PDB file of all heavy atoms in Angstrom:
ATOM      1  N   THR A  97      41.393  -9.873 -53.094  1.00  0.00           N
ATOM      2  CA  THR A  97      41.448  -8.483 -52.736  1.00  0.00           C
ATOM      3  C   THR A  97      42.775  -7.977 -53.113  1.00  0.00           C
ATOM      4  O   THR A  97      43.799  -8.670 -52.861  1.00  0.00           O
ATOM      5  CB  THR A  97      41.068  -8.199 -51.360  1.00  0.00           C
ATOM      6  OG1 THR A  97      41.932  -8.881 -50.549  1.00  0.00           O
ATOM      7  CG2 THR A  97      39.716  -8.614 -50.983  1.00  0.00           C
ATOM      8  N   TYR A  98      42.851  -6.711 -53.510  1.00  0.00           N
ATOM      9  CA  TYR A  98      44.092  -6.137 -53.714  1.00  0.00           C
ATOM     10  C   TYR A  98      43.886  -4.548 -53.547  1.00  0.00           C
ATOM     11  O   TYR A  98      43.066  -3.916 -54.149  1.00  0.00           O
ATOM     12  CB  TYR A  98      44.576  -6.299 -55.101  1.00  0.00           C
ATOM     13  CG  TYR A  98      45.951  -5.585 -55.409  1.00  0.00           C
ATOM     14  CD1 TYR A  98      47.158  -6.071 -54.830  1.00  0.00           C
ATOM     15  CD2 TYR A  98      45.896  -4.638 -56.267  1.00  0.00           C
ATOM     16  CE1 TYR A  98      48.340  -5.518 -55.117  1.00  0.00           C
ATOM     17  CE2 TYR A  98      47.217  -3.823 -56.539  1.00  0.00           C
ATOM     18  CZ  TYR A  98      48.295  -4.283 -55.893  1.00  0.00           C
ATOM     19  OH  TYR A  98      49.435  -3.684 -56.226  1.00  0.00           O
ATOM     20  N   ASN A  99      44.612  -3.916 -52.687  1.00  0.00           N
ATOM     21  CA  ASN A  99      44.413  -2.522 -52.213  1.00  0.00           C
ATOM     22  C   ASN A  99      42.987  -2.052 -52.033  1.00  0.00           C
ATOM     23  O   ASN A  99      42.578  -1.156 -52.591  1.00  0.00           O
ATOM     24  CB  ASN A  99      45.050  -1.742 -53.359  1.00  0.00           C
ATOM     25  CG  ASN A  99      46.598  -1.800 -53.501  1.00  0.00           C
ATOM     26  OD1 ASN A  99      47.314  -2.190 -52.525  1.00  0.00           O
ATOM     27  ND2 ASN A  99      47.117  -1.363 -54.664  1.00  0.00           N
ATOM     28  N   ASP A 100      42.372  -2.893 -51.116  1.00  0.00           N
ATOM     29  CA  ASP A 100      40.985  -2.580 -50.799  1.00  0.00           C
ATOM     30  C   ASP A 100      40.032  -2.679 -51.897  1.00  0.00           C
ATOM     31  O   ASP A 100      39.009  -1.967 -51.883  1.00  0.00           O
ATOM     32  CB  ASP A 100      40.852  -1.181 -50.228  1.00  0.00           C
ATOM     33  CG  ASP A 100      41.130  -1.221 -48.531  1.00  0.00           C
ATOM     34  OD1 ASP A 100      41.074  -2.301 -48.081  1.00  0.00           O
ATOM     35  OD2 ASP A 100      41.470  -0.174 -48.007  1.00  0.00           O
ATOM     36  N   THR A 101      40.277  -3.327 -53.007  1.00  0.00           N
ATOM     37  CA  THR A 101      39.477  -3.609 -54.088  1.00  0.00           C
ATOM     38  C   THR A 101      39.055  -5.093 -54.075  1.00  0.00           C
ATOM     39  O   THR A 101      40.031  -5.992 -54.028  1.00  0.00           O
ATOM     40  CB  THR A 101      40.115  -3.159 -55.445  1.00  0.00           C
ATOM     41  OG1 THR A 101      40.497  -1.741 -55.265  1.00  0.00           O
ATOM     42  CG2 THR A 101      39.070  -3.438 -56.578  1.00  0.00           C
ATOM     43  N   VAL A 102      37.897  -5.362 -54.152  1.00  0.00           N
ATOM     44  CA  VAL A 102      37.342  -6.831 -54.237  1.00  0.00           C
ATOM     45  C   VAL A 102      37.188  -7.120 -55.817  1.00  0.00           C
ATOM     46  O   VAL A 102      36.492  -6.482 -56.512  1.00  0.00           O
ATOM     47  CB  VAL A 102      36.068  -6.954 -53.540  1.00  0.00           C
ATOM     48  CG1 VAL A 102      35.571  -8.334 -53.706  1.00  0.00           C
ATOM     49  CG2 VAL A 102      36.148  -6.566 -52.060  1.00  0.00           C
ATOM     50  N   TYR A 103      37.777  -8.092 -56.209  1.00  0.00           N
ATOM     51  CA  TYR A 103      37.779  -8.606 -57.636  1.00  0.00           C
ATOM     52  C   TYR A 103      36.834  -9.900 -57.486  1.00  0.00           C
ATOM     53  O   TYR A 103      37.308 -10.918 -56.877  1.00  0.00           O
ATOM     54  CB  TYR A 103      39.011  -8.843 -58.187  1.00  0.00           C
ATOM     55  CG  TYR A 103      39.857  -7.646 -58.359  1.00  0.00           C
ATOM     56  CD1 TYR A 103      40.834  -7.300 -57.440  1.00  0.00           C
ATOM     57  CD2 TYR A 103      39.811  -6.953 -59.443  1.00  0.00           C
ATOM     58  CE1 TYR A 103      41.612  -6.077 -57.481  1.00  0.00           C
ATOM     59  CE2 TYR A 103      40.540  -5.688 -59.665  1.00  0.00           C
ATOM     60  CZ  TYR A 103      41.361  -5.408 -58.696  1.00  0.00           C
ATOM     61  OH  TYR A 103      42.242  -4.254 -58.666  1.00  0.00           O
ATOM     62  N   TYR A 104      35.794  -9.923 -58.231  1.00  0.00           N
ATOM     63  CA  TYR A 104      35.025 -11.136 -58.310  1.00  0.00           C
ATOM     64  C   TYR A 104      34.204 -11.318 -59.513  1.00  0.00           C
ATOM     65  O   TYR A 104      34.127 -10.160 -60.208  1.00  0.00           O
ATOM     66  CB  TYR A 104      34.020 -11.198 -56.983  1.00  0.00           C
ATOM     67  CG  TYR A 104      33.167 -10.018 -56.798  1.00  0.00           C
ATOM     68  CD1 TYR A 104      31.790  -9.904 -57.397  1.00  0.00           C
ATOM     69  CD2 TYR A 104      33.439  -8.803 -56.088  1.00  0.00           C
ATOM     70  CE1 TYR A 104      31.044  -8.875 -57.160  1.00  0.00           C
ATOM     71  CE2 TYR A 104      32.659  -7.867 -55.937  1.00  0.00           C
ATOM     72  CZ  TYR A 104      31.346  -7.797 -56.505  1.00  0.00           C
ATOM     73  OH  TYR A 104      30.598  -6.746 -56.327  1.00  0.00           O
ATOM     74  N   PHE A 105      33.646 -12.357 -59.629  1.00  0.00           N
ATOM     75  CA  PHE A 105      32.756 -12.489 -60.832  1.00  0.00           C
ATOM     76  C   PHE A 105      31.465 -12.954 -60.490  1.00  0.00           C
ATOM     77  O   PHE A 105      31.194 -13.695 -59.561  1.00  0.00           O
ATOM     78  CB  PHE A 105      33.291 -13.709 -61.699  1.00  0.00           C
ATOM     79  CG  PHE A 105      34.689 -13.437 -62.226  1.00  0.00           C
ATOM     80  CD1 PHE A 105      35.788 -13.699 -61.680  1.00  0.00           C
ATOM     81  CD2 PHE A 105      34.678 -12.984 -63.568  1.00  0.00           C
ATOM     82  CE1 PHE A 105      37.030 -13.466 -62.153  1.00  0.00           C
ATOM     83  CE2 PHE A 105      35.855 -12.568 -64.175  1.00  0.00           C
ATOM     84  CZ  PHE A 105      37.199 -12.930 -63.405  1.00  0.00           C
ATOM     85  N   LEU A 106      30.428 -12.336 -61.046  1.00  0.00           N
ATOM     86  CA  LEU A 106      29.043 -12.700 -60.875  1.00  0.00           C
ATOM     87  C   LEU A 106      28.548 -13.551 -62.069  1.00  0.00           C
ATOM     88  O   LEU A 106      28.880 -13.231 -63.345  1.00  0.00           O
ATOM     89  CB  LEU A 106      28.112 -11.512 -60.799  1.00  0.00           C
ATOM     90  CG  LEU A 106      28.116 -10.631 -59.657  1.00  0.00           C
ATOM     91  CD1 LEU A 106      27.256  -9.370 -59.781  1.00  0.00           C
ATOM     92  CD2 LEU A 106      27.884 -11.286 -58.431  1.00  0.00           C
ATOM     93  N   SER A 107      27.974 -14.617 -61.850  1.00  0.00           N
ATOM     94  CA  SER A 107      27.519 -15.543 -62.827  1.00  0.00           C
ATOM     95  C   SER A 107      26.023 -15.633 -62.851  1.00  0.00           C
ATOM     96  O   SER A 107      25.467 -16.181 -61.825  1.00  0.00           O
ATOM     97  CB  SER A 107      28.230 -17.011 -62.580  1.00  0.00           C
ATOM     98  OG  SER A 107      27.746 -17.884 -63.517  1.00  0.00           O
ATOM     99  N   SER A 108      25.383 -15.280 -63.936  1.00  0.00           N
ATOM    100  CA  SER A 108      24.005 -15.304 -63.957  1.00  0.00           C
ATOM    101  C   SER A 108      23.529 -15.720 -65.260  1.00  0.00           C
ATOM    102  O   SER A 108      24.076 -15.161 -66.240  1.00  0.00           O
ATOM    103  CB  SER A 108      23.489 -13.930 -63.487  1.00  0.00           C
ATOM    104  OG  SER A 108      22.051 -14.011 -63.668  1.00  0.00           O
ATOM    105  N   GLN A 109      22.739 -16.695 -65.539  1.00  0.00           N
ATOM    106  CA  GLN A 109      22.254 -17.178 -66.711  1.00  0.00           C
ATOM    107  C   GLN A 109      23.339 -17.595 -67.650  1.00  0.00           C
ATOM    108  O   GLN A 109      23.262 -17.298 -68.808  1.00  0.00           O
ATOM    109  CB  GLN A 109      21.268 -16.037 -67.436  1.00  0.00           C
ATOM    110  CG  GLN A 109      20.186 -15.743 -66.626  1.00  0.00           C
ATOM    111  CD  GLN A 109      19.390 -14.502 -67.148  1.00  0.00           C
ATOM    112  OE1 GLN A 109      19.926 -13.779 -68.113  1.00  0.00           O
ATOM    113  NE2 GLN A 109      18.254 -14.247 -66.669  1.00  0.00           N
ATOM    114  N   GLY A 110      24.425 -18.159 -67.109  1.00  0.00           N
ATOM    115  CA  GLY A 110      25.511 -18.634 -67.800  1.00  0.00           C
ATOM    116  C   GLY A 110      26.652 -17.673 -68.279  1.00  0.00           C
ATOM    117  O   GLY A 110      27.457 -17.954 -68.905  1.00  0.00           O
ATOM    118  N   LEU A 111      26.302 -16.432 -67.961  1.00  0.00           N
ATOM    119  CA  LEU A 111      27.155 -15.340 -68.421  1.00  0.00           C
ATOM    120  C   LEU A 111      28.066 -14.949 -67.218  1.00  0.00           C
ATOM    121  O   LEU A 111      27.630 -14.882 -66.147  1.00  0.00           O
ATOM    122  CB  LEU A 111      26.499 -14.045 -68.876  1.00  0.00           C
ATOM    123  CG  LEU A 111      25.320 -14.330 -70.018  1.00  0.00           C
ATOM    124  CD1 LEU A 111      24.647 -12.853 -70.128  1.00  0.00           C
ATOM    125  CD2 LEU A 111      26.229 -14.615 -71.271  1.00  0.00           C
ATOM    126  N   VAL A 112      29.375 -14.715 -67.585  1.00  0.00           N
ATOM    127  CA  VAL A 112      30.387 -14.446 -66.440  1.00  0.00           C
ATOM    128  C   VAL A 112      30.952 -12.976 -66.837  1.00  0.00           C
ATOM    129  O   VAL A 112      31.542 -12.947 -67.958  1.00  0.00           O
ATOM    130  CB  VAL A 112      31.407 -15.469 -66.366  1.00  0.00           C
ATOM    131  CG1 VAL A 112      32.386 -15.088 -65.098  1.00  0.00           C
ATOM    132  CG2 VAL A 112      30.751 -16.930 -66.106  1.00  0.00           C
ATOM    133  N   ASN A 113      30.769 -12.024 -65.968  1.00  0.00           N
ATOM    134  CA  ASN A 113      31.204 -10.864 -66.238  1.00  0.00           C
ATOM    135  C   ASN A 113      32.165 -10.370 -65.024  1.00  0.00           C
ATOM    136  O   ASN A 113      31.691 -10.421 -63.919  1.00  0.00           O
ATOM    137  CB  ASN A 113      30.195  -9.642 -66.401  1.00  0.00           C
ATOM    138  CG  ASN A 113      29.257 -10.038 -67.422  1.00  0.00           C
ATOM    139  OD1 ASN A 113      29.634 -10.166 -68.589  1.00  0.00           O
ATOM    140  ND2 ASN A 113      27.973  -9.972 -67.155  1.00  0.00           N
ATOM    141  N   PRO A 114      33.432  -9.907 -65.347  1.00  0.00           N
ATOM    142  CA  PRO A 114      34.241  -9.488 -64.175  1.00  0.00           C
ATOM    143  C   PRO A 114      33.733  -8.169 -63.584  1.00  0.00           C
ATOM    144  O   PRO A 114      33.346  -7.239 -64.395  1.00  0.00           O
ATOM    145  CB  PRO A 114      35.658  -9.354 -64.685  1.00  0.00           C
ATOM    146  CG  PRO A 114      35.386  -9.273 -66.220  1.00  0.00           C
ATOM    147  CD  PRO A 114      34.137  -9.813 -66.537  1.00  0.00           C
ATOM    148  N   ILE A 115      33.718  -8.086 -62.329  1.00  0.00           N
ATOM    149  CA  ILE A 115      33.253  -6.773 -61.699  1.00  0.00           C
ATOM    150  C   ILE A 115      34.296  -6.362 -60.626  1.00  0.00           C
ATOM    151  O   ILE A 115      34.791  -7.155 -59.820  1.00  0.00           O
ATOM    152  CB  ILE A 115      31.848  -6.967 -60.930  1.00  0.00           C
ATOM    153  CG1 ILE A 115      30.807  -7.373 -61.992  1.00  0.00           C
ATOM    154  CG2 ILE A 115      31.545  -5.762 -60.191  1.00  0.00           C
ATOM    155  CD1 ILE A 115      29.537  -7.594 -61.456  1.00  0.00           C
ATOM    156  N   THR A 116      34.689  -5.155 -60.616  1.00  0.00           N
ATOM    157  CA  THR A 116      35.545  -4.555 -59.707  1.00  0.00           C
ATOM    158  C   THR A 116      34.782  -3.544 -58.809  1.00  0.00           C
ATOM    159  O   THR A 116      34.129  -2.673 -59.349  1.00  0.00           O
ATOM    160  CB  THR A 116      36.694  -3.912 -60.326  1.00  0.00           C
ATOM    161  OG1 THR A 116      37.401  -4.729 -61.257  1.00  0.00           O
ATOM    162  CG2 THR A 116      37.704  -3.190 -59.276  1.00  0.00           C
ATOM    163  N   GLN A 117      34.922  -3.704 -57.494  1.00  0.00           N
ATOM    164  CA  GLN A 117      34.094  -2.916 -56.596  1.00  0.00           C
ATOM    165  C   GLN A 117      35.104  -2.566 -55.535  1.00  0.00           C
ATOM    166  O   GLN A 117      35.541  -3.175 -54.783  1.00  0.00           O
ATOM    167  CB  GLN A 117      32.948  -3.563 -56.079  1.00  0.00           C
ATOM    168  CG  GLN A 117      32.134  -2.829 -55.056  1.00  0.00           C
ATOM    169  CD  GLN A 117      31.246  -1.777 -55.735  1.00  0.00           C
ATOM    170  OE1 GLN A 117      30.607  -1.854 -56.668  1.00  0.00           O
ATOM    171  NE2 GLN A 117      31.616  -0.471 -55.141  1.00  0.00           N
ATOM    172  N   THR A 118      35.237  -1.211 -55.273  1.00  0.00           N
ATOM    173  CA  THR A 118      36.037  -0.794 -54.063  1.00  0.00           C
ATOM    174  C   THR A 118      35.226  -0.917 -52.736  1.00  0.00           C
ATOM    175  O   THR A 118      34.030  -0.773 -52.773  1.00  0.00           O
ATOM    176  CB  THR A 118      36.522   0.715 -54.220  1.00  0.00           C
ATOM    177  OG1 THR A 118      35.460   1.514 -54.287  1.00  0.00           O
ATOM    178  CG2 THR A 118      37.449   0.861 -55.314  1.00  0.00           C
TER     179      THR A 118
END
Side-chain angles (χ1 to χ4, degrees):
T97 58
Y98 178 73
N99 289 341
D100 275 342
T101 300
V102 179
Y103 296 91
Y104 56 91
F105 292 89
L106 289 178
S107 176
S108 180
Q109 300 172 351
L111 302 173
V112 178
N113 300 312
I115 296 173
T116 302
Q117 178 72 52
T118 61

